[in-house]
């Protein structure tokens, strides 16, 4: 542990002792520690060789402006501009090394190297470009044009070159200025000179570390002074919205080549070629147990995609365990990714983003808005106020079917512009509705260059045995463990910077990993944690004397647990809290979690520092964009790591943390909180908060029912009903809600043609309504039974049920709701009577229902249609 880390940890420990030592002593000690920390930060860095990212920038148009100004005015103008540009650099974690008139040099990795330094440098460069563009318009006074139009002002633009690689960090002998020296720096400067005016030019070493985060334009290799071979370069065009980054396999910054998966990669590329050349959609499903390399395969495939001469549009969505109960969550993720819809966006903002995005695809028309409203209603954005949905809000099946149709039209329209690739990761966690949509899309998206890549564990086949079966346009790949030969190759690849690697170490790793690449990497990282392997900047060292002390855990879980045990307390605590949130988590959520012991709040570790340390140890990855505003999003490197970490959390703390995660989701989701109802319910259930668990499972059932996710709705409604029966309060506070839940179960069963179960559910609803004396709910239950019994062919039972519903509806009073149930009962009777040959009675009842429902206006449309139908058939 570095001296800086030791001081930061000492501060955290002192905070935890405040209750015992008192504020005065702790404050004095912390002040002294902070003073040492500040002095350590201010010390000039010693000369060292490090991996860094270097940026050179040069302002174009500076000379033309400076010729019209006094030297003092030039200085004042440039100071104002550099204040903006320097801030862009430092805000993104860079260090400004030098200003050279109209140029600047900055370095990322000078103090502490971060895995995303190249990405931070490019994002800083994009901000710098925008700052330079806007500087003239907002600062005309600096260039002698006060009161004049910005249209006639001189133009300022900035060329920027960025390169990544090893540098010598230290001070220049004569000036003692800190700088970065070496070939990496020289190439960055050359790239700046070669960059187009207003452009950002990067070399391949930088590009390979930021693939997927930016739109880039590959250029022909350029000749650079001092380089024998031409240099491959790329122009950065823009950052990708909600970029989908796949973390590559690697250890201690050493990126490894893919081993043992080349045949599978060729199958993926072949499918892509067929889709593009023949315009025949291709679906490839890659199945493999945890750690066998599904994500690495996606990473390599995406890398190939990025440099194709034909630009491919990429859509991404990932399922997580917490999303299993969220209807159409994978579909929502696809559209949110495309149109930058955040989960924390207020409903009007989310709806407007979807409308604007689909109008930009389909064109300005009423049909475009109609498509947006159906798709939005399906994915939970609540377009219930839309006129195009007003008459069919109770017809969830029609909304689902039309939304599927319009969403498929969207992908076909986008695919006509250029080829499409859709990545669906961790599909085994996807909800059934989302799986239904993927199957619908693959069946109905025709004559489009579309490639869908599905990544899943084999457990998906337990739910969908035929998923991805071989056929026209369908490929299923099953990943197998690496052979011993391939495992040895991977070990050699990771340890290529180490000399004299003992054969015993190689055998230990290869034998322990059993062909699982993730297991193999984690074993090596465990050996690094235990100081058997000591990585260096250029050379790694193996301490063979420590090998005898090493005990290789027999399972991957054991290896991961050993890595957790090697973390300092505050890192492990933050990682544990993150695991309670889920595999995907947010810094704001983790910071919201607080430990409680004996009713006293404990002093909390600093989450930002811990998360940064965990990223450096490659236990978690940062995501390029977050689904919640004003948060940073992270993901555990592997689902197994998250599971092992979660199991290490004490049960007492788990319950406390789950309650707080639920509260955070409720707060951050705002008016769109029902989209997270199932996840919130699960957190409250694990927190042992029965009342809130029941409430949120009921809401989750309603959400699923409205989305026509019938099996999911039944599951959640029944869970709410079962738990409410166990509630100790008498009378039950859930009386009214239980009636709604029984009705929801019954309707979902009826829609699935599970008639006998639906009748039983209506019978239970009737009993519950009788208990609370709700005549109107009893009428609804009888009407429901009458409808199902009619579909069963039991006309006599249906007629008796409808008569009971009519009697109760008449007794319920003169309210709109009572009249609606009465009209429904009359229609049920008419429908059965014409089947029994009593046509005159059927017509009379149909006319009564029609008169009653017509008087109800918009509220009676459904039963008015029923009355017309009864009359027409009779």
């Amino acid at each position: 542990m570095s001296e800086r880390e030791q001081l930061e940890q000492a501060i955290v420990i002192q905070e935890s002792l405040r209750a015992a030592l008192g504020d005065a002593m702790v404050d004095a000690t912390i002040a002294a520690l902070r003073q040492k920390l500040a002095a350590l930060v201010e010390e000039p860095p010693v000369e060292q060789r490090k991996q860094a990212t270097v940026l050179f920038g040069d302002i174009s148009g500076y000379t033309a402006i400076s010729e019209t100004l006094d030297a003092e005015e030039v200085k004042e103008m440039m100071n104002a501009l550099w204040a903006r540009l320097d801030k862009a650099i430092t805000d993104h974690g860079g260090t400004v090394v030098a200003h050279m008139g109209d140029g600047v040099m900055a370095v990322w990795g000078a103090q502490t190297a971060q895995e995303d330094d190249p990405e931070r440098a490019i994002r800083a460069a994009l901000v710098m470009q925008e700052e330079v563009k806007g500087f003239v318009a907002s600062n005309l006074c600096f260039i002698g044009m006060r009161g004049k139009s910005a249209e006639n002002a001189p133009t300022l633009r900035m060329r920027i070159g960025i390169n990544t690689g090893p540098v010598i960090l230290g001070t220049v002998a004569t000036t003692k200025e800190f700088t970065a020296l070496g070939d990496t720096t020289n190439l960055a400067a050359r790239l700046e000179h070669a960059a187009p005016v207003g452009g950002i030019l990067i070399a391949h070493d930088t590009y390979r570390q930021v693939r997927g985060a930016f739109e880039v334009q590959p250029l022909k290799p350029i000749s650079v002074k001092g380089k024998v071979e031409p240099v491959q370069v790329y122009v950065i065009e823009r950052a990708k919205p909600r970029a989908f980054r796949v973390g590559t396999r690697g250890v201690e910054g050493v990126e490894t080549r893919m081993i043992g998966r080349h045949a599978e990669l060729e199958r993926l590329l072949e499918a892509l070629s067929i889709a593009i050349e023949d315009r025949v959609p291709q679906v490839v499903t890659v199945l493999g147990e945890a750690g066998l390399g599904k994500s690495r395969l996606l990473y390599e495939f995406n890398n190939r995609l990025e440099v194709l001469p034909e630009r491919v549009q990429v859509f991404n969505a990932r399922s997580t365990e917490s999303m299993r109960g969220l209807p159409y969550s994978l579909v929502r993720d696809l559209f949110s990714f495309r149109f930058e819809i955040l989960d924390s966006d207020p409903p009007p903002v989310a709806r407007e983003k979807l409308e604007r995005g689909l109008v930009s695809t389909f064109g300005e028309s009423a049909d475009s808005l109609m498509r947006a409203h159906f798709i939005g209603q399906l994915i939970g954005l609540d377009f219930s106020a839309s006129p195009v949905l007003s008459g069919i809000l109770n017809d969830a099946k029609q909304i689902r079917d039309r939304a599927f149709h319009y969403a498929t039209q969207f992908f076909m329209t986008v695919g006509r512009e250029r080829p499409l690739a859709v990545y669906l990761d961790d599909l085994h966690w996807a909800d059934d509705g989302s799986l239904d949509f993927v199957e619908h899309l693959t069946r109905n998206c025709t004559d489009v260059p579309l490639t869908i890549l599905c990544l899943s564990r084999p457990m998906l086949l337990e739910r969908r045995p035929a998923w991805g079966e071989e056929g026209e346009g369908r490929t299923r790949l099953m990943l197998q463990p690496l052979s011993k030969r391939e495992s040895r190759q991977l070990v050699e690849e990771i340890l290529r910077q180490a000399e004299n690697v003992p054969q015993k170490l190689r055998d230990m790793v290869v034998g322990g990993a059993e062909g699982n690449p993730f297991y193999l990497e984690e074993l090596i990282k465990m050996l690094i944690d235990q100081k058997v392997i000591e990585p260096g900047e250029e050379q790694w060292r193996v301490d063979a004397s420590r090998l005898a002390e090493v005990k290789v855990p027999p399972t991957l879980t054991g290896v991961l647990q050993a890595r957790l045990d090697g973390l300092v307390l505050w890192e492990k605590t933050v990682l544990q809290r993150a695991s309670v949130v889920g595999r995907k988590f947010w810094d704001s959520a983790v910071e919201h979690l607080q430990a409680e012991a004996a009713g006293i709040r404990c002093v909390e570790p600093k989450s930002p520092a811990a998360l940064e340390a965990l990223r450096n140890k490659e236990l978690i990855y940062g995501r390029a964009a977050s689904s919640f505003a004003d948060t940073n999003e992270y993901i555990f490197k592997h689902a197994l790591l998250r599971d092992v970490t979660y199991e290490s959390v004490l049960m007492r703390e788990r319950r406390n943390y789950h309650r707080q995660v639920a509260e955070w989701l409720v707060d951050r989701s705002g008016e769109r909180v029902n989209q997270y109802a199932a996840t919130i319910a699960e957190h409250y259930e694990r927190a042992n908060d029965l009342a809130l668990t029941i409430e949120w499972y009921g809401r989750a059932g309603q959400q699923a029912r409205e989305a026509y996710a019938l099996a999911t709705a039944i599951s959640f409604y029944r869970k709410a009903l079962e738990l409410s029966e166990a509630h100790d309060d008498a009378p039950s506070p859930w009386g009214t809600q239980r009636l709604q839940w029984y009705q929801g179960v019954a309707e979902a069963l009826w829609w699935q043609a599970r008639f006998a179960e639906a009748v039983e559910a209506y019978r239970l609803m009737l009993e519950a309504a009788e208990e609370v004396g709700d005549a109107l709910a009893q009428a609804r239950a009888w009407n429901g039974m009458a409808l199902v019994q009619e579909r069963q062919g039991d006309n006599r039972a249906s007629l008796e049920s409808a008569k009971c519903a009519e009697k109760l509806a008449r007794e319920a009073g003169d309210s709109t709701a009572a009249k609606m149930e009465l009209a429904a009962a009359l229609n049920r009777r008419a429908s059965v009577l014409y089947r029994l040959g009593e046509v005159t009675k059927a017509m009379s009842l149909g006319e009564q229902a029609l008169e009653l429902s017509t008087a109800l206006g918009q509220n009676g449309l459904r039963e008015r249609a029923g009355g017309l139908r009864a009359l027409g058939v009779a």
Side-chain angles (χ1 to χ4, degrees), residues 570 587 591 605-613 634:
W570 55 287
D587 56 357
E591 289 167 10
K606 300 299 182 184
S607 295
L611 290 171
E612 202 60 46
Y634 298 87

Side-chain angles (χ1 to χ4, degrees), residues 338-339 355-364 368 409-415 417:
R338 174 71 173 187
F339 301 131
E355 287 180 341
R356 187 173 66 240
L358 288 174
V359 166
S360 70
T361 302
F362 290 116
E364 193 83 39
S368 297
Q409 284 186 337
F410 166 77
F411 282 99
M412 292 180 69
T413 302
V414 173
E417 300 172 6

Side-chain angles (χ1 to χ4, degrees), residues 614-677:
L614 294 168
R615 286 180 65 187
N616 291 337
K617 293 177 180 178
E618 297 176 337
L619 294 168
I620 61 175
Y621 293 131
R623 305 291 292 271
S626 176
S627 51
F628 285 98
D630 302 320
T631 66
N632 293 310
E633 188 170 301
Y634 298 87
I635 187 169
F636 277 82
K637 179 177 180 180
H638 202 282
L640 280 178
L641 174 61
R642 181 264 168 187
D643 295 343
V644 171
T645 307
Y646 179 79
E647 290 302 321
S648 71
V649 183
L650 295 175
M651 291 298 296
R652 179 186 67 253
E653 290 298 340
R654 271 192 218 177
R655 291 191 292 271
N656 174 43
Y657 291 153
H658 277 297
R659 175 179 53 78
Q660 293 177 59
V661 174
E663 292 168 350
W664 184 86
L665 282 170
V666 171
D667 177 64
R668 294 308 296 267
S669 303
E671 297 175 65
R672 294 170 58 197
V673 69
N674 281 341
Q675 292 179 15
Y676 276 96

Side-chain angles (χ1 to χ4, degrees), residues 12 14 27 87 467 488 769 781 798 807:
V12 172
Q14 284 297 317
D27 288 342
K87 185 176 185 299
W467 189 277
R488 286 193 292 270
S798 177
K807 179 177 180 294

Side-chain angles (χ1 to χ4, degrees), residues 88 146 280 305 335 340 487 518 533 542 561 578 713 761 821 835:
R146 185 182 284 105
V280 176
L305 219 64
F335 284 96
E340 302 180 59
S487 296
F518 178 59
I533 302 171
V542 177
Q561 185 62 62
E821 288 306 318
R835 292 176 188 276

Side-chain angles (χ1 to χ4, degrees), residues 315-354:
F315 284 75
N316 306 279
R318 178 195 293 274
S319 297
T320 62
E321 190 172 3
S322 62
M323 291 167 61
R324 283 178 301 175
L326 306 181
Y328 304 105
S329 52
L330 195 70
V331 185
R332 182 166 66 245
D333 210 26
L334 283 172
F335 284 96
S336 295
F337 174 86
R338 174 71 173 187
F339 301 131
E340 302 180 59
I341 302 171
L342 304 181
D343 290 341
S344 55
D345 280 339
V349 174
R351 290 192 287 267
E352 193 275 332
K353 285 182 177 180
L354 183 67

Side-chain angles (χ1 to χ4, degrees), residues 27 39 152 238-239 274 345 423 438 449 451 471 540 567 610 639 813 826 829 857:
D27 288 342
N152 300 317
R238 65 188 66 84
I274 293 172
D345 280 339
Y423 302 154
V438 176
T451 305
W540 289 21
L567 297 175
L826 294 171
R829 286 185 61 197

Side-chain angles (χ1 to χ4, degrees), residues 199-275:
I200 302 168
L201 196 65
I202 65 172
H204 186 72
D205 283 340
T206 301
Y207 167 74
R208 68 183 180 83
Q209 298 187 53
V210 299
R211 289 184 184 113
F214 302 94
E215 295 280 2
V216 301
Q217 180 62 50
L219 302 182
K220 291 181 179 179
I222 61 173
S223 298
V224 175
K225 184 178 179 181
K227 293 283 187 182
V228 176
E229 297 292 333
V231 176
Q232 178 62 57
V233 294
Y234 309 80
V235 172
I236 298 292
E237 295 182 342
R238 65 188 66 84
K240 289 184 177 179
R242 293 195 67 179
F244 186 85
R245 298 289 302 283
V246 183
T248 182
R249 291 280 187 251
V251 176
E252 294 291 323
V254 176
E255 183 175 344
T256 56
R257 293 175 299 160
M258 183 178 68
I259 302 293
R261 300 288 181 238
H262 293 91
E264 289 86 352
L265 178 59
E266 289 304 316
R267 292 285 297 277
L268 297 185
L269 294 171
E270 180 185 4
L272 177 69
S273 297
I274 293 172

